[in-house]
Amino acid sequence: MSDYFLVSLSNRENLELCVKYNLAGFTNSTNGLWTFFDIEVGDYISFLYGARVRNLYRVAKKVAYKSAEKLPPWPPITFRSKRTYYFPFRLFLKLERV
């Protein structure tokens, strides 16, 4: 049985990258890792941005990269704490419905 997930995005640029590449990326944080492990191939996801749900995708493939510091399409994010996050956990998606 497949599960359904809403992936919340922090800004329009990230939404546009996810939609353009049919890709969801999660940071090298504990939360990013848990989310990556929770979502399985065959599950469904939609993107949540600006209080609107966008598109329906089926997860086609999961990949965790060792060196994601310069891996497109998302640039690294550095917070005031000086902690930098990358997006090594990737879900490759198949668009099911707009």
Side-chain angles (χ1 to χ4, degrees), residues 7 9 13-26 45-47 54-63 65 72-74 89-98:
V7 176
L9 301 169
E13 179 184 355
N14 286 340
L15 173 65
E16 290 170 356
L17 291 171
C18 290
V19 170
K20 179 179 179 179
Y21 294 103
N22 289 337
L23 188 65
F26 302 97
I45 73 164
S46 290
F47 296 119
R54 309 281 187 357
N55 302 342
L56 177 66
Y57 299 88
R58 183 179 280 264
V59 177
K61 183 170 106 173
K62 293 172 57 167
V63 177
Y65 294 98
W74 297 282
F89 307 116
R90 307 288 176 100
L91 301 178
F92 292 84
L93 309 171
K94 179 182 178 285
L95 181 63
E96 296 284 324
R97 182 173 295 185
V98 175

